[in-house]
Amino acid sequence: NRMMKKRIIGFLGCLVLLLCCTMACQPSFAQYRYRVKYDMLLDMGESKQYAADFYAGGQQAFFRYRLMQGDGEEGIPPVDALNTGFQFNIADTGYYFIFSDRMDGRVIQLDQLPGEAIPCLILESMPSIGWKFTGQYKLIGQYDCLEAKGHFMGRDYTVWCSDQLPGSFGPWKLHGLPGMVLEAYDASGEVRFYAEKIEQVDIPLDS
């Protein structure tokens, strides 16, 4: 019907815009250097667990997440668009992503808005969060982490970051700290990210 055609055209338009943005955002570094697997939990009336991966290197980062299926199965992995490391799955929109670029100060996000059946592409400026350090430290795995607190998009967040892992990125859009964020949660406990696995990787973006 006409409405479905409009939605399909709108989605295809998003994909074209995504590919154009991908080509325009060619990174200045050779590869993503670190991969962090997070246990991502959202509990807003109904508790949902997500499989999340975070790739970081230089001035850019890539965060993808997907609602966990039965028995912890993550489903079909996304494919690489244009061989740039910019990964998403056209056929299976269960995966969503956030691409953050400090060089041009923007965030590109593929997400599904409430009440919408078709994912949409969102372009916005890199967020600036006024983090304040508490002076508290703890060990997460083998990494010394420093606690910081900040207010972002209506929520009060506590994060634990480690300067042993280079970069100033974290899961979702929790950026701007002197090191990678390995744990984050809001004051209500509705949003939680816990690093499960940290590894060095060598994923070229331009090969």
Side-chain angles (χ1 to χ4, degrees):
N1 57 35
R2 183 175 298 178
M3 181 61 70
M4 181 58 69
K5 287 182 179 178
K6 286 183 178 179
R7 288 181 178 274
I8 292 174
I9 291 172
F11 182 53
L12 291 176
C14 283
L15 291 177
V16 171
L17 179 58
L18 170 64
L19 297 181
C20 291
C21 290
T22 301
M23 295 175 71
C25 291
Q26 290 299 323
S28 62
F29 57 90
Q31 70 275 330
Y32 287 124
R33 297 183 177 91
Y34 288 93
R35 177 194 183 200
V36 182
K37 290 183 67 68
Y38 288 98
D39 184 12
M40 173 180 169
L41 301 170
L42 299 181
D43 189 0
M44 302 173 189
E46 180 183 359
S47 182
K48 294 183 178 181
Q49 184 176 9
Y50 294 78
D53 292 290
F54 173 68
Y55 298 84
Q59 294 297 309
Q60 296 169 320
F62 176 72
F63 179 73
R64 67 176 185 175
Y65 58 99
R66 177 189 176 121
L67 185 65
M68 295 287 283
Q69 299 176 353
D71 299 323
E73 182 181 344
E74 297 182 24
I76 302 172
V79 296
D80 185 2
L82 299 182
N83 293 319
T84 62
F86 210 93
Q87 297 181 354
F88 68 102
N89 193 322
I90 297 176
D92 182 1
T93 56
Y95 261 109
Y96 302 103
F97 72 77
I98 299 173
F99 180 77
S100 302
D101 190 338
R102 285 201 170 280
M103 291 187 296
D104 60 9
R106 67 176 171 177
V107 174
I108 303 173
Q109 178 176 357
L110 179 69
D111 208 341
Q112 190 165 357
L113 298 178
E116 293 292 329
I118 303 298
C120 63
L121 196 65
I122 303 169
L123 280 75
E124 57 188 2
S125 298
M126 181 76 71
S128 178
I129 305 173
W131 297 109
K132 295 183 178 179
F133 294 98
T134 66
Q136 298 297 313
Y137 293 85
K138 76 173 181 179
L139 196 65
I140 297 180
Q142 60 181 331
Y143 300 101
D144 295 316
C145 295
L146 177 64
E147 183 185 49
K149 295 179 180 291
H151 186 80
F152 180 55
M153 295 188 67
R155 294 180 181 271
D156 293 315
Y157 285 94
T158 297
V159 301
W160 294 87
C161 66
S162 175
D163 60 8
Q164 294 174 268
L165 295 169
S168 57
F169 295 103
W172 188 46
K173 304 172 187 177
L174 301 177
H175 307 326
L177 288 149
M180 199 174 295
V181 174
L182 299 184
E183 185 176 313
Y185 45 86
D186 77 327
S188 68
E190 294 178 340
V191 181
R192 289 165 281 173
F193 301 92
Y194 298 100
E196 291 187 323
K197 184 178 181 181
I198 305 163
E199 58 185 347
Q200 273 193 282
V201 295
D202 184 10
I203 303 178
L205 296 179
D206 53 2
S207 63

